[in-house]
Amino acid sequence: PLAYGRQRIRAAQEQFIDLPPTVWDAQPAYHQFWKYMLKSYQDSCKTVDRKDCRIYIARLLKGFSRDEAAAYARKVFEEEEIAPLGTREIRESSEDQHPVRFRRGLRELPELKDLCVLLLKAGFEVWAVDLDAQPLLASYAATYGINPAKTAGIRLPVFREKFTGKTEEPIPWRVGKVDAVVAALGRPPALVVGASDGDRELLDYSGGLRLLLDRGNKPLRAYAEKRGWLIQPSFKP
């Protein structure tokens, strides 16, 4: 958005974008661009809810084809899976006293992967439904053995084989998750595994087992206990 520094970001990008990518890291404008982009995202997310924040990220895929977005997602996942878990700082220069900080690193959840494998072997149709851009969700769900075609993320319309930067309803968040599942399956799921407030409506909608992964949200846990859902306590590292 213009209010979150678009002109400044574009000005920085224009200084390095025509250079070979191998020399970008040596360009101050490249680090300015990176910092300004992250700050724009962080500042905008402070003023909106999780749904709108994720829509912001999904729209950044404007101009990508489906194959390009999927390849980009796989590359990022591969880099993040070997990156140390922690926080990284982005500075415009070594003298910058106001860096932008963001979390780094991505790790597979072995217990969740084991559950997916077990269900698939038992003949279940396993779906992943989450508030991520569809190309990203499909790429990562595949690492858990889930068919990329059986994912429901934020859908992005395509024009002339490129994403337009817009989004389609339903957005898979809260009631939107129910709408996405109904559109995909046409029936209530036999098992729903959720972990956040955004999963509450889908857990309520399920006609079978409901499993809450407890991440310390006390009101959500109390709601789950009242509704008789199964509760999985957090695993210890």
Side-chain angles (χ1 to χ4, degrees), residues 101-139:
R101 297 176 176 85
F102 68 100
R103 289 185 297 175
R104 210 47 225 280
L106 186 68
R107 295 295 183 270
E108 199 175 70
L109 298 174
E111 298 85 2
L112 197 56
K113 186 169 185 177
D114 288 347
L115 177 59
C116 288
V117 170
L118 182 66
L119 290 171
L120 288 166
K121 284 183 176 179
F124 281 83
E125 184 178 327
V126 180
W127 281 71
V129 185
D130 210 352
L131 194 59
D132 291 301
Q134 180 67 25
L136 277 63
L137 179 61
S139 293

Side-chain angles (χ1 to χ4, degrees), residues 23 40 136 180:
V23 303
S40 170
L136 277 63

